[in-house]
Amino acid sequence: MVDGFRPADLQEALEFRARHPSIPIAGGTDLMVQKARGFGLKPDFNKPLLFIGHLRKLRQISVRDGNIHIGAGVLLSELIINDKISEALKMAVRQMASPPSRNLATIGGNICNASPAGDTLPYLYAVDAKLILKSVSSERIIHIGKFITDPKQNTLEHDELLTEIIIPNKIFNVSYYKKVGQRKGMSLTKASFQGLADIKNSNVLDIRIAFGSVAPIIVRSREIEASIIGKPVSEINAAVPEILKKYATLIRPIDDARSSAAYRKRVSLRLLEDFLSKLS
Amino acid sequence: MKNCISKPINRVDAPAKISGKAKYIGDIHFENQLFAKTVRSARAKAKIVSIKTPTLPDDYYIIDKNDIPGINRMRTVVSDHPIFAEDEVNYIGQPILLVVGPEREKIYEIVSQIKIKYKDEAAIYNLEEAEVKKAVFTEYSYSKGEPKATFQHAERIIEDEYRTGRQEHIYLEPQGITGDYKDGCMYIYGSLQCPFYIEGAIQDVLGWDSDRIRIIQSTTGGAFGGKEEFPSLMACQVAVASIKTKRPVKMIYDRDEDIICSTKRHPSIVRYKAGLNKNNEVVALDIDIKFDAGAYSELSPVVLQRGMFSATGVYNFPNLKVRGRNFMTNNVPSGAFRGFGAPQTIFSTEMLMHNIAVKLGTNPLDYKIRHLLKRGYPTCTSGKIRDEVKLPEIIEKVEKMSWYRRKIGKHKKFKGVGLSLFLHGCGFTGKGEATIKGKIILKKNGDTVTLKVSSVEMGQGAETCLRKIVAHTLSLPMKKVICETIDTGLIPNSGPTVASRTIMIVGGLLRQASLELKDRWNDANEIEISKTYKHPDFLSWDDDKFEGDAYPTYSWGTNVAEIEIDPVTYEIDVKKITAVYDVGVPIDEKTLEGQIQGGIVQGIGWATIEVMNSPKGKLTQHNLTDYKIPTSMDVPEIECEFIENPYEFGPFGAKCAGELPFVGAPPAVAAAVSNAMSVPIRNIPITPEYLMELDKHED
Amino acid sequence: MKIEFVLNDKKQVIQVDPASRLLDILRDDFELTSVKEGCGEGECGACVVLMDDKAVNSCLIPVGNIEGRHIVTMESFRKTERYKVIEESFLEAGSVQCGFCTPGIVMSTESLLRENPKPGDNEIRDALSGNLCRCTGYNMIIKGVKLAATRGKGLW
Ligand SMILES: Cc1cc2nc3c(=O)[nH]c(=O)nc-3n(C[C@H](O)[C@H](O)[C@H](O)COP(=O)(O)OP(=O)(O)OC[C@H]3O[C@@H](n4cnc5c(N)ncnc54)[C@H](O)[C@@H]3O)c2cc1C
Ligand code: FES
Ligand code: FES
């Protein structure tokens, strides 16, 4: 009999985590579907569930040292209305799932689920978000790119929980986001693109580019970004073919029920081109 | 002046539905009920070598072909689908047996322990392979005029090919049926469209007379044709199970199962050879229609017939040759779906006309107008267009509402406008109505009138409209006119709830009976009047030659679609649909608008986002995550108007309206996309993937 | 696991496997059949109920998550003044056909109007984007919601 545990606070949750093999469950919007077996049947979990969605400590959004700390249990619907959250992230979250499921789904769940189609991920990769992973005895802070290793794979230890997401204090004055789904309302992502840039005096001071759903993990290349940084915007146009060529080797999508590899690749590069064209 | 019958009233069934009180089959608890789960074929085509089942605990049962006392086939047009597979399976999802018992968890466990050994055989996965292997279920043809000679003298010959995709109904309530064998009688409850189809199917399977069979409809959560023939299969299965277990057996599908095994809209390929005269008018047309019927024929022959008889759309092609073939493939069977074969051929012909016009450099509307049918013209099957064709008025009106001509003149890339013209044959095809001879009963008791029909309410508004026809005729308030429960023990067979026939045919009989009752109102406290359909004498139909009046009359319409395409991603945004229809006289404008809005949106879905592929016989999109239908954010503004054109034999002049709106939207959207991208569109759904490929080829 | 929660204004204590879907508990154990199952994977919205006044998909909720929460279904919401306004408006606008989507849509409407008593067209479309309807094509539902917002001024 698979049962579960509802800790009173984070400490209790971490203690349970340390003692028992368990599955953390926040909103359950990923887990309940992944483990669903059909109408009228209980989802099939092979380990006790650790309910964490209600934990106060995980539900806060705060600013510390200028960085924004988002609790792993913050709901998608809460992100949309919080004024500490950037418009760029809100834009992605508003297009995730549907209003009733956004009242359940958490940002931590989206990250830990580690799907290449996870819609908070391109933004979080682009801004170099860091994650706080806690156990009873330790705490580590790692870059999101080090946390997600493969589709559905992350480096969470059996005794750990994701507690916070840190968004570094950094301002971008250009932001471009596009999610391509099968339809306008509620749709999983076929391909998505997040572009951020800091342009001053017609120079690219910083640029971040991330692609979702077109490779086993989110595609971001510091190397290519570095090759653009420092350039006057007037030179970008000429560099576009070269930039596209470089990203083309990193974008390795698949054919599936929702789209084709060819479309995903072409559209990703077109979105990149569109973003770059808007810089000058 | 608007006809006063058209004035909208509130739907009689809505309050129970809004408040959540209405009971659908899944909401009804049967004392002592057992649940059933179907074990299905995992192979597209195979012999069943062996089936190993575990030892069953008490109260759990396996029901299969050996439990069928009568014929192991589902009765329909072609009764070829086995209730339970015998020694072979022909599609993935074909039912083999049921596991029945009190606990769903336990049933699930038993199902997972059943081991089936197959010996695979060469399967046919699509229309191309089926044509090579000559796997034809049905082939029909008809012709008119002198096609051969006209082609020989044609100034110009254009050949083209069009394709449409598979579509799933996605009625929001999945299929569900309960069978209850009690006191020597079989009671079937469920979500269904055609109670007497089920009665017939049960008769075959049990070998019983109809007096021991009762089919009772529960509130039905949408159907669109998907609950026309399919529930018969489920009903036969649970009937047999209930006899074996002596308890009520309830079978409710979950969404995945429903999508995997229920019928779909026929995928199609339509090939044309058009002969043009020196004025560039199409004077000869050769149409070759291919439908993927899936693994069993079932009612595909009549779907194909409607497809063939609608294939010339609203046009008069004096010389015509039409061939239609249903192919056997090892895909899930295709079946009834709103429009019934007509949407495929109307789409193709509309796009053919559009594409020829564009190629000739003329305005598609002007080009189409040169070919329109008129009163007195022969139909494609050499019948006669007897009633006035108000297409000129329809076109004028839509033009005023949408400024179509002005917009198409100001062409901008990625922005487009498209127009479709279409019709729908009212009622059953050919001799259908004459054979069925629908019957209705009207019963007066004091100041209340009960109408007894087998036409069901499934969302389309039948109950409201039929009651309204009677109430209006007798000048009674709606609440004094009630519908008898849909229970085959209590109602006469007025035919199935299909083919947009409910208002025109069944409503027509009710109108006649009401007029008679009105005359006799004061004769007695209790009066019963029954009416049986009589096919008008002037209609003739030869079912062997496909000659004569395929339909008694037609409803007509036009749609103008305005769309925008995202220049980066090729996503289509349908901005607006303007629609004008002639459905005779609307019985209720609000209910009718509901049919129009819903039908158009379903049509847009089919034309744009609803992708359902079946490589190697296995559906790639088998849940609502992958198979997408439009949401509230995907639908355009829809403006619609009517042109009144009373039909002599319809109640208050009404004709058909339920399927018509679906038919018009796809070609209008496709024409708009073609206009926006300056490419001919030949296939739907028009996905961004397909558009990107087209754009690549064109530039 | 023992779960305490409020269901339609009544406190309930149940002993259940916390992984059970709220949807099944409501339909099977409490016989609240206004809550429908159309997909079981969060896609259709037929199962939407209110949790602390907000629309949620009951098929996605493990009951372990409802401890201390207030769940409302149509069975109690239909007794309210606000419901009456929604019912009248839906009737008048022709927002209902087969009705299988309707209870879920009424719940999403209530959730929207509580947050935003004067929603614009796009806000309504967004709020209902998790409720599929195959019959109506939505526009007549949107009209119904707008009508309810106007008529029920002051109620939300
Ligand atoms: C209908 C529908 C539509 C959807 N649409 C989208 C969409 O458009 N875009 C998108 O990106 N996603 C979408 N999703 C997926 C899902 O809603 C999101 O990924 C959501 O953010 C998951 O959050 P949750 O709290 O519900 O996760 P849960 O299901 O509770 O958990 C997901 C995973 O994360 C783990 N986990 C959760 N929290 C923690 C933690 N604090 N520490 C450690 N591990 C943890 C769980 O063990 C589990 O493995 C959709 C889902 C549904 C049902
Ligand atoms: S049943 Fe819950 S969203 Fe469909
Ligand atoms: S009314 Fe039928 S699904 Fe909405």
Side-chain angles (χ1 to χ4, degrees), chain B residues 225-280:
Chain B
K227 293 170 184 171
E228 178 168 341
E229 73 277 30
F230 192 83
S232 295
L233 185 65
M234 293 176 74
C236 292
Q237 293 169 344
V238 293
V240 174
S242 182
I243 290 177
K244 185 162 176 176
T245 61
K246 305 196 171 50
R247 288 167 68 174
V249 175
K250 189 172 182 178
M251 183 154 70
I252 312 281
Y253 286 168
D254 55 37
R255 182 61 66 184
D256 275 38
E257 182 173 21
D258 188 300
I259 295 181
I260 284 166
C261 69
S262 68
T263 52
K264 307 282 176 280
R265 185 183 298 287
H266 292 69
S268 78
I269 301 178
V270 185
R271 269 205 75 82
Y272 294 89
K273 188 169 107 181
L276 276 55
N277 65 13
K278 59 177 183 307
N279 298 327
N280 278 327

Side-chain angles (χ1 to χ4, degrees), chain C residues 37-40 42-45 47 57 59:
Chain C
E37 176 153 16
C39 70
E43 290 282 348
C44 78
C47 68
N57 307 80
C59 70

Side-chain angles (χ1 to χ4, degrees), chain B residues 50 82-83 90 119 144 166 171 182 213 293 410 414 573:
Chain B
S50 65
I83 306 298
N90 286 301
K119 188 168 175 288
K144 191 177 88 169
R166 182 177 279 107
Y171 25 69
K182 223 167 43 188
I213 303 166
K410 285 197 192 146
F414 300 116
D573 190 356

Side-chain angles (χ1 to χ4, degrees), chain A residues 144-164:
Chain A
I144 188 161
K146 293 253 159 58
F147 180 66
I148 295 171
T149 50
D150 254 321
K152 306 269 153 199
Q153 299 295 315
N154 61 39
T155 60
L156 188 79
E157 295 290 338
H158 68 90
D159 60 347
E160 281 178 331
L161 286 176
L162 167 64
T163 57
E164 274 173 53

Side-chain angles (χ1 to χ4, degrees), chain A residues 10 17 22-34 45 49-50 52-53 58 71-76 92-93 95-98 101-102 104-122 132-133 147 152 154 156-157 160-165 177 179 183 186-189, chain B residues 624-625 628, chain C residues 39-44 57 59-60 62 65:
Chain A
L10 182 59
R17 228 23 210 145
S22 63
I23 302 175
I25 183 161
T29 62
D30 272 317
L31 281 173
M32 293 297 277
V33 175
Q34 284 157 17
F45 294 101
L49 292 175
L50 174 62
I52 56 170
L58 303 186
V74 170
L75 300 177
L76 299 183
V93 176
Q95 295 177 59
M96 287 173 73
S98 66
S101 42
R102 290 199 296 265
L104 298 167
T106 65
I107 182 167
N110 196 243
I111 295 168
C112 294
N113 191 51
S115 157
D119 285 330
T120 62
L121 303 181
I132 303 185
L133 303 167
F147 180 66
K152 306 269 153 199
N154 61 39
L156 188 79
E157 295 290 338
E160 281 178 331
L161 286 176
L162 167 64
T163 57
E164 274 173 53
I165 299 100
Y177 177 74
K179 163 172 172 163
R183 63 182 176 201
M186 193 187 14
S187 189
L188 292 182
T189 297
Chain B
L624 291 182
T625 310
K628 290 291 187 220
Chain C
C39 70
E41 52 183 9
E43 290 282 348
C44 78
N57 307 80
C59 70
L60 296 176
N65 260 345

Side-chain angles (χ1 to χ4, degrees), chain B residues 17 24 170-173 220-222 224 458-459, chain C residues 95-102 105 131-138 141:
Chain B
K17 288 173 171 175
Y24 299 78
I170 314 285
Y171 25 69
L172 248 267
E173 179 207 21
T220 296
F224 316 112
M458 52 195 180
Chain C
S95 315
V96 184
Q97 292 191 27
C98 83
F100 200 75
C101 68
T102 315
I105 286 183
N131 294 86
L132 295 180
C133 174
R134 189 59 149 170
C135 300
T136 65
Y138 306 103
I141 299 178

Side-chain angles (χ1 to χ4, degrees), chain A residues 37-42 178 180 182-185 188 190 257-260 263 266-267 270-271 274, chain B residues 105 108 253-254 567-571 573 609 620-621 625-626 628-629 631 633-634 688-689 692 696:
Chain A
R37 291 184 307 149
F39 280 21
L41 296 169
K42 260 178 240 146
K178 173 74 188 173
V180 187
Q182 285 157 287
R183 63 182 176 201
K184 282 195 264 174
L188 292 182
K190 291 190 207 178
R258 287 174 226 130
S259 187
S260 68
Y263 175 80
R266 181 124 182 250
V267 110
R270 286 170 76 107
L271 286 166
D274 195 42
Chain B
E105 289 289 343
Y108 187 85
Y253 286 168
D254 55 37
V568 181
T569 63
Y570 296 103
E571 293 164 285
D573 190 356
I609 59 174
T620 314
Q621 296 80 8
T625 310
D626 294 334
K628 290 291 187 220
I629 64 168
T631 70
M633 289 170 74
D634 295 275
E689 285 80 1
M692 187 183 83
K696 207 154 73 183

